[in-house]
Amino acid sequence: MSDSIVLNSATLDCPDAGRLADFYAEITGGKVTFRTDGWATIKGSGGRLNFQTAPGYRPPTWPDDASSMQIHLDFDVDDLDATDARVLATGARKFENQPNEHCLVFAHSAGHPFCLSTDDVPDQA
């Protein structure tokens, strides 16, 4: 028996698990592999995400030091312009405040922030 720990998945609370799973399956090319009234799972090339319906869910605000982000996901992309258009077409909302030129911050329908980033990060040395 090994003492290694391997990340299995992340679970996001939200108002509608199935709806949020559909959103992330659409933007990542993943597939919804499990769905009940209160839980949904997607699997894709980058792993697995779970979504849990949480009664009374309140979305985080960003950027706001007084608000907890709860979770945010980072996705690597090749073309920011193309992926920007694609996630907006699926219902995401782009925040007005953006951190830099190689990362775009959005929120999905449940309000969790997520980032699309390229490897075009300037050298800091």
Side-chain angles (χ1 to χ4, degrees):
M1 187 175 274
S2 170
D3 65 351
S4 68
I5 298 172
V6 178
L7 179 64
N8 177 294
S9 62
T11 302
L12 285 75
D13 282 358
C14 57
D16 184 330
R19 181 173 175 211
L20 196 53
D22 289 339
F23 170 82
Y24 275 110
E26 175 71 25
I27 71 166
T28 65
K31 180 180 178 185
V32 177
T33 59
F34 183 82
R35 184 189 308 259
T36 65
D37 287 341
W39 188 272
T41 299
I42 68 165
K43 289 185 182 177
S45 63
R48 185 174 98 181
L49 285 173
N50 301 309
F51 307 93
Q52 175 176 274
T53 299
Y57 171 80
R58 290 186 351 205
T61 56
W62 185 88
D64 181 355
D65 292 339
S67 173
S68 166
M69 263 203 288
Q70 302 165 357
I71 189 171
H72 90 262
L73 302 172
D74 294 297
F75 296 94
D76 289 331
V77 301
D78 293 325
D79 183 329
L80 276 177
D81 292 334
T83 54
D84 178 5
R86 189 158 65 85
V87 299
L88 290 173
T90 64
R93 172 176 55 92
K94 187 175 2 178
F95 286 104
E96 186 174 319
N97 185 351
Q98 295 294 321
N100 54 56
E101 65 279 350
H102 65 270
C103 178
L104 297 175
V105 185
F106 299 84
H108 53 62
S109 62
H112 292 114
F114 67 94
C115 299
L116 303 179
S117 301
T118 66
D119 288 334
D120 299 333
V121 181
D123 289 336
Q124 298 295 317

